[in-house]
């Protein structure tokens, strides 16, 4: 079966650092973090989080974001479009809000709690041909993009809408606190003085299609791995992340030396950054520019893969390498960890998403030939 090409033709995002993808990329280049300090989530402990300042519900923002992508696309509707959602907590915040207010389960709608709650909400606002939801922790929307890639490449669908979505669920925040990985300040990925991550909420919506537009960026390859080293910690040598990156390049038939930019998962935790840096060094040495943008956006969990895919797409369109913010003293001395936004001519960008259980996904994007 001949393989169809897959193009990112329309996209939009909302997170703590920007109410649109354009304002987000400007904030990243200007190194203006959206992370703020909050003391109401954990008793007697201030923590740094990425919260969307919203006058109305995040579900309403999600609907508006999808409408913007529909307008950009030129499609009349999503009737012939597959919806693929990636989320780590689904509608948990909705049910938390009800329970914490009423201290009872009576008014909780199960359909608005489970992982496909986001697809359920969107399907009530738009008409999709079908939908599927992924929940694989921090690789959720990266895996959603991978599934979309396969559906278009195999000719099953011509249009696939990928939605990455996660909110600041109290259960999630306290869960990461129990793991001892939350920072009380904006995170410092890859820095020797890093002390943890910043949980954040985010929305990222991308329309993938089998035909290009004028400003399209191609999704060229997807790589997966599962090193199963530990339930929460990655393999110290980065074997899982390395294999996922190698598979993405193999899928696209692209050599490592051709990749100009790697958007690292880079959470700011000790274990993740050391492992991922080892993996990137093993594959690229100092030949690719590397940065984590989570010091600006926070870690949007299930939405991170889709949000950082948008960042890679915009980096290619604008030919600008996003910088590492708050990076003072890099732990890894080999990687080219850029400290300021860098104009650069490059054709390929790789995005890493790494999750609990050694679940790893890499996505390779490229300019049209």
């Amino acid at each position: 079966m001949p393989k169809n090409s897959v193009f990112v033709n329309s996209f939009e995002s909302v997170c703590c650092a920007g109410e649109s993808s354009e304002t987000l990329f400007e904030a990243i280049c200007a190194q203006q973090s959206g992370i703020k300090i909050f003391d109401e989530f954990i008793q007697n402990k201030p923590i740094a989080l990425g919260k969307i300042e919203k006058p109305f519900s995040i579900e309403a923002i999600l609907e508006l974001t999808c409408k913007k992508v529909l307008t950009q696309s030129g499609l009349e509707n999503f009737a012939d479009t597959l919806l693929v959602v990636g989320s780590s907590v689904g509608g948990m915040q909705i049910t938390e809000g009800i329970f914490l207010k009423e201290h009872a389960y009576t008014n909780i709608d199960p359909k608005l709690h489970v992982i496909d709650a986001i697809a359920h909400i969107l399907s009530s606002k738009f008409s999709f041909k079908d939908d599927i939801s992924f929940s694989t922790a921090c690789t959720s929307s990266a895996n959603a993009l991978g599934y979309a890639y396969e559906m278009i490449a195999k000719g099953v669908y011509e249009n696939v809408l990928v939605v990455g979505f996660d909110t600041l669920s109290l259960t999630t925040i306290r869960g990461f606190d129990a793991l001892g990985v939350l920072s009380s300040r904006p995170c410092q990925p890859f820095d020797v003085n890093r002390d943890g991550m910043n949980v954040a909420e985010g929305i990222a919506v991308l329309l993938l299609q089998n035909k290009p537009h004028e400003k399209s960026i191609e999704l060229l390859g997807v790589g997966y791995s599962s090193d199963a080293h530990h339930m929460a910690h990655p393999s110290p040598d980065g074997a899982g992340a390395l294999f996922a990156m190698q598979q993405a390049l193999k899928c696209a038939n692209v050599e490592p030396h051709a990749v100009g930019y790697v958007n690292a998962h880079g959470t700011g935790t000790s274990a993740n950054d050391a492992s991922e840096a080892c993996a990137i060094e093993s594959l690229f040495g100092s030949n690719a520019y590397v940065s984590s943008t989570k010091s600006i956006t926070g870690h949007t969990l299930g939405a991170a893969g889709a949000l950082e895919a948008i960042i890679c797409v915009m980096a290619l369109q604008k030919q600008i390498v996003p910088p590492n913010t708050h990076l003072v003293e890099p732990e890894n001395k080999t990687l080219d960890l850029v400290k300021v936004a860098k104009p650069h001519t490059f054709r390929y960008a790789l995005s890493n998403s790494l999750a609990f259980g050694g679940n790893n996904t890499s996505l390779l994007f490229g300019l049209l030939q």
Side-chain angles (χ1 to χ4, degrees):
M1 177 185 292
K3 184 177 115 174
N4 295 321
S5 296
V6 182
F7 305 97
V8 179
N9 286 343
S10 308
F11 57 86
E12 189 57 279
S13 64
V14 181
C15 69
C16 67
E19 59 184 16
S20 68
S21 297
E22 196 64 42
T23 56
L24 168 60
F25 199 81
E26 290 173 0
I28 291 170
C29 292
Q31 299 185 293
Q32 296 175 340
S33 178
I35 307 299
K36 296 181 180 178
I37 312 301
F38 297 85
D39 56 15
E40 66 263 36
F41 290 95
I42 300 174
Q43 189 173 8
N44 300 321
K45 184 177 181 179
I47 53 172
L49 301 170
K51 184 176 177 60
I52 297 173
E53 300 297 338
K54 48 189 181 293
F56 41 88
S57 75
I58 194 167
E59 292 78 26
I61 297 175
L62 173 61
E63 180 186 354
L64 180 61
T65 306
C66 290
K67 284 181 178 177
K68 288 181 179 179
V69 172
L70 180 59
T71 300
Q72 290 176 24
S73 73
L75 296 174
E76 292 184 5
N77 52 55
F78 289 131
D80 291 324
T81 301
L82 171 67
L83 171 64
V84 187
V85 177
S87 178
S88 64
V89 301
M92 189 181 293
Q93 187 194 42
I94 298 171
T95 54
E96 273 186 0
I98 294 171
F99 181 77
L100 292 174
K101 180 180 179 181
E102 301 178 0
H103 300 287
Y105 300 100
T106 308
N107 294 318
I108 290 177
D109 181 353
K111 291 182 178 180
L112 295 179
H113 178 82
V114 292
I115 290 304
D116 66 354
I118 310 309
H120 176 74
I121 291 169
L122 286 176
S123 294
S124 70
K125 306 295 182 181
F126 305 92
S127 177
F128 295 96
K129 191 165 186 177
D130 203 352
D131 66 77
I132 185 170
S133 298
F134 286 81
S135 182
T136 53
C138 303
T139 56
S140 296
S141 58
N143 285 332
L145 281 162
Y147 185 80
Y149 170 85
E150 292 178 23
M151 290 296 98
I152 294 175
K154 294 175 180 177
V156 181
Y157 283 90
E158 294 184 355
N159 309 308
V160 181
L161 188 74
V162 175
V163 174
F165 179 93
D166 259 330
T167 61
L168 282 176
S169 160
L170 188 61
T171 302
T172 303
I173 294 170
R174 291 184 175 176
F176 278 104
D177 181 56
L179 291 172
V181 295
L182 292 187
S183 179
S184 59
R185 54 188 169 87
C187 65
Q188 293 180 269
F190 301 116
D191 196 284
V192 295
N193 294 312
R194 65 189 184 277
D195 69 348
M197 60 180 282
N198 308 139
V199 176
E201 57 190 355
I203 297 167
V205 181
L206 303 93
L207 180 66
L208 275 56
Q209 297 178 290
N210 66 344
K211 294 181 177 62
H213 292 175
E214 183 180 351
K215 295 183 179 180
S216 297
I217 295 295
E218 190 170 356
L219 175 52
L220 291 159
V222 183
Y224 307 101
S225 73
S226 182
D227 59 49
H229 171 76
H230 184 273
M231 286 184 68
H233 293 286
S235 172
D237 62 3
L242 174 60
F243 186 74
M245 291 188 290
Q246 290 172 327
Q247 290 300 107
L249 295 179
K250 181 180 179 180
C251 177
N253 195 27
V254 170
E255 295 297 322
H257 66 80
V259 177
Y261 170 57
V262 177
N263 184 285
H265 188 63
T267 60
T269 64
S270 177
N272 174 89
D273 290 8
S275 172
E276 186 179 12
C278 185
I280 295 172
E281 180 182 347
S282 296
L283 187 58
F284 298 105
S286 59
N287 294 324
Y289 292 118
V290 180
S291 70
S292 168
T293 47
K294 287 185 173 67
S295 52
I296 300 295
T297 66
H299 189 351
T300 56
L301 307 179
L307 185 66
E308 289 161 21
I310 289 175
I311 292 168
C312 282
V313 166
M314 296 190 73
L316 283 165
Q317 288 177 334
K318 297 176 181 294
Q319 292 289 276
I320 296 175
V321 174
N324 292 276
T325 297
H326 306 313
L327 179 64
V328 178
E329 186 180 352
E331 181 179 61
N332 184 292
K333 306 301 182 184
T334 300
L335 298 183
D336 199 338
L337 294 157
V338 291
K339 293 186 177 181
V340 295
K342 185 177 184 66
H344 178 56
T345 301
F346 64 112
R347 184 175 170 189
Y348 302 109
L350 185 76
S351 180
N352 285 340
S353 294
L354 316 176
F356 287 160
N359 181 341
N360 311 296
T361 304
S362 293
L363 304 166
L364 183 70
F365 299 91
L367 294 174
L368 301 187
Q369 292 185 357

